[in-house]
Amino acid sequence: MQKLLIVSNRLPVNVDTTGDEIRIIPSVGGLATGMSSVSGSYRNLWIGWSGLTKGQTDEKTEKAIEKELIAENYLPLHLTQEDLDGFYFGFSNRTIWPLFHYFTQYVQYDDNDWETYQRVNRIYADAILSAACDEDMIWIHDYQLMLVPQMVKEQKPDMKIGFFLHIPFPSFEIFRILPWRKEIIEGLLGADLLGFHTFDYQRHFLSTVRRLLGLEVNFNEITYGHRIIKTDIFPMGIDYEKFHGAALEQKARAVKDKTKVQQEMEKYILTNPEIKLVISIDRLDYSKGIEKRLQAIDYFLDHHPEYLEKITLIMITVPSRSEVPQYKQMKSEVDELVGRINGKFGTINWTPIWYFYRSFPFEELVDLYSTSDIALVTPNRDGMNLVAKEFVATKTDKKGVLILSEMAGAAREMAEAILVNPNNMKELSDAILTACEMGVEEMILRNTQLQDRLQRYDVKKWASEFLKALTKATDNRPVLGGTKITPQVETEIISQYRKADTRILFLDYDGTLVGFKNNPMKASPDEELMQTLEALASQANTELVLISGRDKETFDQWFPGKPFSMVTEHGVWSKKPGQEEWKLLEYISSDWKMLVRPVLEFFADRTPGTFIEEKNYSLVWHYRNTDQELGLQRAIELKDELNSLLSNFNLEIMEGNKVIEVKNSGINKGKAAARFLRNKEYGFILAAGDDWTDEYLFQELPNETISIKIGAAKTRARYSYADFRNMRNLLNQLATE
Ligand code: GDG
């Protein structure tokens, strides 16, 4: 059975060595639940740090722990305190975490931490390499292990490697600050599939890849050397049934069986029937916006004295990363703020904030969620935020209001919550007021929709969708880089051509049959080429199709009344020999040009020597005549800009040879070529092209096609020629039958 290796910084277990026996206590986080749900299909092995540092126990105990863990399918890694300081507390949490959450003021650049991060990532990679076979799936999690994908891929190119980032991926302008930015991106690109919580994080990542490494990105695919890497969005869900079920169970319990927390809360509500309970739960972390939340409560109570003694914030902050200085400092700031607010507004009968600096067992967590009226989830930045989802899941009567920061990934899916900018005190205070005054009907409406979505796309679905996408990305990996045509191969192609009873040739024009000229209109066909094409098209049982991105007017001017078919604008128009009129293959609109033209004009104005060509259904920016480096740089910037601009339109950005073309998507040379093959069988099919737009042709045509890529670049074609002269030479030979 295929193995699934899950790799995360920490194993989802706690090892208890205090008693006579070693006890392995599974932690019940979302990730562990998601993973256990897919375990039926694979043999799982989880690799990560055990939570114990080297030397913390004696060697014999260490061995015994390892044995116990392995028996439960956990492969523990042994890290020293020094490893943890540099790798976890250092590079991961003092460099990456603040940077990726836009807290640039906290980012620390330390060469030693970086060294340790690399060294410890290598420990994880080595563990994977020792435990996995080529056909296994590897799923690596989160920002602590961003170099691992590449470390594994280098050694085992066939292994199926997925990576999921649980935190935001910041905009390129933030990411570029990092001294080791290239190494991190290259590390991640070792994966076959990269998953993010939201479209924005994916967009930022793709933009970074494009701008930093100048790689080709088409939609969500990156071409990297001879590989294609997929990126996609997988918003992590929660174990909905578990939270919802626990809340139902709690409601059904007799008073004496309820948790202490629940009994206390119920008593409090009984004596204060008008009270609104507001829950706030986070790890103590500067990204969670805890101070601003407290300031908003202060502001709310100042501006709405009618709510004095009628609202209580239950604030739980879970201790976290206390070795990192900013966390220590934050702790004292939060303590002080809570003290100040309670001192300012508190009365004998009422404390505005119940503050807990500890974690609660699961049952009590559910009690806190389900008994509260409002959840205040207002991070400054948050990859997803599961607390928001868990709160909604426990609302079995659908009563309750979620106030959610728009900076949390969860906001993208939870539009029915009250969404707020966590930096706007007044907006936060207004949101609290709206939540306090919201009618039951509206709550039910909002929560019904939220719960439906949470139930459908839960953590199990999340895990299975990711693995499905990883399987898809790695099955039938496209083979890139055609075999160079040797004289023997050429002879073989010619012989196949001669033997075949019916033949069809699809030939791209620019770069395939003629070289590039500074002015595209100067690349008209020469006498020799014209003769070759006519000779081929006149052979018995032979069809020739010129298939190009050029406009139909130009081809009409160059090839009037010729005995071959022509397809122009990448497949918009087609004309068969003997036909007078061009046939529109796809009905499309070009209204979008109004939007795109100013962007291209802006780039043309800023980049001397570049110009815009307007075709019927596309706009093209040509940059052959500008300084090569500037052209390339601008092309990357333009693609990036177009990508964000066009995400809502059904448009496609095609990168040709020193051109960028925007056109309606779904129209391509491959689709147009397929029409020729619809009603007829051919014994010999040849397709030749030089740029990215021709890849559609290679992809669409049947496997036995003699597909030829002109120029040295990655391709889906079977064969390659160095330049157009080789192609002309082959055609000349085919033409002289
Ligand atoms: C990272 C990203 C992303 C909290 N207090 C208690 C307790 N919790 C549990 C909650 C929830 C989890 O901890 C917190 O999850 P978050 O999503 O809010 O945040 P991070 O830990 O920072 O996680 C984040 C996540 O990865 C997943 O991809 O959403 O953006 O930063 O499940 O229930 N659990 C118990 N007692 C507590 O006191 N039992």
Side-chain angles (χ1 to χ4, degrees), residues 159-322:
M159 244 176 219
K160 303 171 169 67
I161 306 174
F163 181 93
F164 189 84
L165 186 69
H166 289 261
I167 65 174
F169 192 93
S171 104
F172 172 63
E173 290 304 330
I174 294 287
F175 184 78
R176 70 191 305 183
I177 299 171
L178 191 66
W180 308 281
R181 57 198 187 177
K182 255 192 155 164
E183 290 86 337
I184 294 289
I185 294 295
E186 283 167 354
L188 289 170
L189 291 180
D192 297 292
L193 172 70
L194 288 155
F196 302 89
H197 282 305
T198 73
F199 174 66
D200 286 328
Y201 308 156
Q202 182 194 28
R203 187 166 59 80
H204 292 155
F205 178 76
L206 291 176
S207 159
T208 300
V209 164
R210 216 181 277 124
R211 294 196 169 204
L212 205 58
L213 304 184
L215 296 183
E216 197 180 298
V217 177
N218 299 308
F219 300 108
N220 57 351
E221 287 184 357
I222 304 162
T223 309
Y224 185 44
H226 281 239
R227 296 171 43 225
I228 288 184
I229 297 154
K230 275 226 165 224
T231 63
D232 219 330
I233 302 161
F234 305 91
M236 187 170 172
I238 56 165
D239 188 347
Y240 181 85
E241 294 309 333
K242 180 174 153 195
F243 279 89
H244 195 76
L248 282 172
E249 222 172 84
Q250 181 257 101
K251 288 236 161 88
R253 246 177 245 154
V255 177
K256 65 173 180 32
D257 297 329
K258 293 193 176 181
T259 65
K260 189 99 182 46
V261 164
Q262 185 62 25
Q263 289 178 10
E264 291 298 325
M265 279 195 295
E266 285 181 8
K267 216 187 303 162
Y268 183 64
I269 295 168
L270 214 60
T271 48
N272 299 275
E274 275 187 278
I275 203 82
K276 293 280 179 196
L277 290 181
V278 183
I279 184 86
S280 138
I281 303 183
D282 320 81
R283 275 187 306 101
L284 185 74
D285 194 298
Y286 47 78
S287 67
K288 301 286 182 184
I290 298 171
E291 289 115 309
K292 293 233 179 75
R293 195 177 309 159
L294 287 169
Q295 285 159 4
I297 289 287
D298 187 3
Y299 184 101
F300 175 79
L301 292 175
D302 262 338
H303 290 78
H304 296 283
E306 70 275 20
Y307 275 95
L308 291 171
E309 302 201 335
K310 297 210 177 85
I311 187 165
T312 297
L313 174 69
I314 308 174
M315 195 173 82
I316 295 158
T317 56
V318 179
S320 162
R321 302 173 199 169
S322 41

Side-chain angles (χ1 to χ4, degrees), residues 5-266:
L5 272 78
I6 304 139
V7 190
S8 62
N9 159 51
R10 183 86 155 73
L11 287 176
V13 292
N14 284 308
V15 182
D16 180 8
T17 52
T18 48
D20 294 342
E21 279 181 9
I22 296 161
R23 285 200 318 138
I24 310 289
I25 308 152
S27 54
V28 279
L31 190 57
T33 313
M35 294 301 143
S36 62
S37 69
V38 291
S39 61
S41 325
Y42 307 92
R43 208 147 54 79
N44 279 9
L45 178 68
W46 199 313
I47 300 179
W49 176 51
S50 65
L52 296 171
T53 48
K54 263 190 191 166
Q56 196 173 330
T57 56
D58 57 73
E59 215 171 294
K60 199 172 137 227
T61 317
E62 201 174 274
K63 282 263 165 324
I65 293 171
E66 188 170 315
K67 205 171 145 211
E68 293 273 332
L69 284 169
I70 288 176
E72 310 231 355
N73 297 328
Y74 298 115
L75 182 63
L77 298 178
H78 304 295
L79 301 182
T80 62
Q81 192 54 48
E82 195 193 339
D83 292 340
L84 281 176
D85 287 343
F87 154 72
Y88 181 72
F89 293 111
F91 196 75
S92 299
N93 289 329
R94 265 180 237 166
T95 308
I96 298 297
W97 179 272
L99 187 73
F100 281 34
H101 286 87
Y102 295 72
F103 281 84
T104 48
Q105 69 275 34
Y106 292 158
V107 180
Q108 183 174 304
Y109 307 102
D110 184 324
D111 284 318
N112 291 329
D113 284 353
W114 167 240
E115 289 296 320
T116 313
Y117 184 80
Q118 292 174 86
R119 189 168 50 72
V120 174
N121 268 245
R122 176 74 60 195
I123 297 177
Y124 283 79
D126 287 346
I128 297 172
L129 288 165
S130 68
C133 315
D134 276 2
E135 71 275 9
D136 290 341
M137 300 251 249
I138 323 291
W139 188 357
I140 301 162
H141 290 268
D142 229 0
Y143 65 104
Q144 301 92 351
L145 304 177
M146 290 189 286
L147 304 177
V148 177
Q150 181 67 6
M151 289 172 170
V152 176
K153 186 57 90 181
E154 267 164 12
Q155 303 290 322
K156 291 275 179 193
D158 291 334
M159 244 176 219
K160 303 171 169 67
I161 306 174
F163 181 93
F164 189 84
L165 186 69
H166 289 261
I167 65 174
F169 192 93
S171 104
F172 172 63
E173 290 304 330
I174 294 287
F175 184 78
R176 70 191 305 183
I177 299 171
L178 191 66
W180 308 281
R181 57 198 187 177
K182 255 192 155 164
E183 290 86 337
I184 294 289
I185 294 295
E186 283 167 354
L188 289 170
L189 291 180
D192 297 292
L193 172 70
L194 288 155
F196 302 89
H197 282 305
T198 73
F199 174 66
D200 286 328
Y201 308 156
Q202 182 194 28
R203 187 166 59 80
H204 292 155
F205 178 76
L206 291 176
S207 159
T208 300
V209 164
R210 216 181 277 124
R211 294 196 169 204
L212 205 58
L213 304 184
L215 296 183
E216 197 180 298
V217 177
N218 299 308
F219 300 108
N220 57 351
E221 287 184 357
I222 304 162
T223 309
Y224 185 44
H226 281 239
R227 296 171 43 225
I228 288 184
I229 297 154
K230 275 226 165 224
T231 63
D232 219 330
I233 302 161
F234 305 91
M236 187 170 172
I238 56 165
D239 188 347
Y240 181 85
E241 294 309 333
K242 180 174 153 195
F243 279 89
H244 195 76
L248 282 172
E249 222 172 84
Q250 181 257 101
K251 288 236 161 88
R253 246 177 245 154
V255 177
K256 65 173 180 32
D257 297 329
K258 293 193 176 181
T259 65
K260 189 99 182 46
V261 164
Q262 185 62 25
Q263 289 178 10
E264 291 298 325
M265 279 195 295
E266 285 181 8

